[in-house]
Amino acid sequence: MSNAGGGPATPEGVGGVRARRRLEIPAMILIGVLLVAALGAGTASLYREFYSPRAFVLHYLELLQERRAAEALAIPGVAVDSAELEAAGLPATASEALLRPDSLQAVTDAVVTGESVDGDRTRVSVSYSVGGYAGATTFDVTSDTGTALLPRWRFARSPLSVMNLSVEGSMRFAVNGFEVDKRQVAVEGADVDPSAALPLLVFSPGLYSVSVDTAISATPGVAVLADAPLAGIPVDVQAQPTEEFRGVVQQRVEDFLSACAEQKVLQPTGCPFGFTVRNRIDDAPSWSIVEQPKVTVEPDGAGWRIPSAPAVAHIEVDIRSIFDGSVRTVEEDVDFTVDGQITVEPDGSASILVGGSSD
């Protein structure tokens, strides 16, 4: 029968509505499942990008890229104390002078290349570029204890390294352009051994170029890549005398010998040449330098030395014979050698001590 009058629904009509509802319920379940899956995927993506060990490491490298040294040092597990340094076999008195923006080169192109879990530690391997050099480092990360709802991490092994820097020929040097004076950063202060290695904490990864550029000495520089957490990095730099310095030393030596030649005695005091006679001299002798030494300067620990160099003086003297009283004039070239030590004073000036001997 038809229900043209709009009365109560027929059993067939009721059955049709229920069928549609039964179809709608599975659809709603499916939508709910998809929403839960999407939420889970979003949570996983959020964790991976912002709260995972890899995100923690990449944040540290981002701070180094932006040369935000203070913030990088404040990341949990970065700063170290003397006990941690000693436990790692590193000098406990390492200076923090280079943990600053002025001594950093930006770390760029950081990419996580591997991640593995070993007990309570996660090892995150990263490749990167710094100063045009490619590098790779593996960091140890562990969970940071606390009551925070979101995951927190810390470095299980500090990413700092210690550069054991030995600079011969200068008390002053520069690291990535940042000027350093040994006497200002060493625990011994002004009493620091100029030839001893100076331990300096540095961020890892990092490229550090050490150079000397003073009026006395210079070097083109030595670059070293710090790419291992809490490791010692030996760096040896030998500065060479500048042309200006060599010219000054040459002039000082010549002035010294010329002053010696002004002494009217057979054995000028404090001078590397002299003359001996068996008779009496009739008048004061006259000296002149006929061949000045060609001075070179070589490194000698924190100072410099003048290697032995030949020179020639000339003496003219009247000698009276003790036998018959006759007088004769003696003119003779006297061969001698010159050497010396050069000490660099705290104000940057040089003290030159000239020595030598007659042949």
Side-chain angles (χ1 to χ4, degrees):
M1 289 178 65
S2 64
N3 189 18
T10 62
E12 292 82 357
V14 172
V17 171
R18 289 176 177 173
R20 286 194 297 271
R21 288 178 179 173
R22 283 198 297 270
L23 292 174
E24 289 170 359
I25 291 172
M28 292 176 64
I29 293 174
L30 177 61
I31 292 173
V33 170
L34 292 175
L35 287 174
V36 171
L39 182 61
T43 301
S45 176
L46 186 67
Y47 170 81
R48 180 181 178 86
E49 293 300 320
F50 297 101
Y51 301 108
S52 65
R54 62 186 290 140
F56 173 78
V57 170
L58 288 175
H59 175 59
Y60 166 73
L61 295 176
E62 180 183 0
L63 293 177
L64 295 187
Q65 177 177 349
E66 298 173 359
R67 300 173 68 184
R68 293 155 63 183
E71 293 176 61
L73 192 60
I75 287 180
V78 174
V80 291
D81 56 25
S82 58
E84 290 176 275
L85 290 172
E86 286 183 337
L90 300 172
T93 57
S95 169
E96 298 182 357
L98 298 183
L99 300 180
R100 63 181 68 214
D102 295 343
S103 62
L104 284 179
Q105 288 199 28
V107 178
T108 60
D109 306 320
V111 177
V112 174
T113 58
E115 186 174 344
S116 63
V117 177
D118 183 8
D120 62 348
R121 293 192 179 191
T122 301
R123 291 189 170 89
V124 180
S125 298
V126 183
S127 66
Y128 49 83
S129 177
V130 53
Y133 291 86
T137 300
T138 297
F139 300 91
D140 278 2
V141 178
T142 189
S143 178
D144 193 13
T145 58
T147 58
L149 295 177
L150 296 173
R152 296 180 60 179
W153 307 95
R154 66 182 294 109
F155 286 108
R157 185 177 180 86
S158 171
L160 298 183
S161 297
V162 175
M163 180 165 60
N164 291 304
L165 178 59
S166 175
V167 178
E168 301 285 352
S170 179
M171 293 292 279
R172 293 182 294 169
F173 55 90
V175 178
N176 290 346
F178 176 69
E179 296 288 338
V180 179
D181 189 308
K182 296 178 186 179
R183 294 158 293 198
Q184 294 176 345
V185 299
V187 293
E188 299 87 354
D191 297 326
V192 61
D193 180 356
S195 60
L198 184 65
L200 298 163
L201 283 165
V202 294
F203 286 106
S204 175
L207 183 70
Y208 298 92
S209 177
V210 183
S211 61
V212 176
D213 185 12
T214 68
I216 291 176
S217 57
T219 175
V222 175
V224 60
L225 179 64
D227 60 358
L230 216 57
I233 307 167
V235 181
D236 297 317
V237 176
Q238 178 62 73
Q240 298 297 325
T242 62
E243 288 295 332
E244 178 186 3
F245 182 44
R246 281 193 286 262
V248 169
V249 174
Q250 177 72 46
Q251 189 59 55
R252 293 282 183 86
V253 170
E254 291 182 6
D255 292 345
F256 170 76
L257 295 177
S258 296
C260 285
E262 293 176 358
Q263 297 185 41
K264 303 296 184 179
V265 294
L266 292 174
Q267 301 289 336
T269 303
C271 299
F273 57 83
F275 191 72
T276 302
V277 298
R278 295 182 179 179
N279 297 293
R280 292 193 297 266
I281 60 173
D282 193 60
D283 198 1
S286 176
W287 287 98
S288 62
I289 305 298
V290 296
E291 184 179 326
Q292 291 281 5
K294 294 181 180 179
V295 173
T296 58
V297 179
E298 294 182 352
D300 184 25
W304 308 88
R305 70 183 182 91
I306 303 170
S308 181
V312 180
H314 183 81
I315 187 172
E316 183 176 339
V317 60
D318 293 333
I319 298 177
R320 182 178 296 276
S321 173
I322 59 174
F323 297 104
D324 58 15
S326 61
V327 176
R328 65 186 180 93
T329 299
V330 174
E331 292 190 43
E332 190 172 327
D333 287 345
V334 177
D335 296 331
F336 66 99
T337 58
V338 172
D339 56 30
Q341 290 292 132
I342 305 172
T343 303
V344 180
E345 304 296 342
D347 62 359
S349 62
S351 173
I352 304 174
L353 178 63
V354 180
S357 60
S358 298
D359 291 348

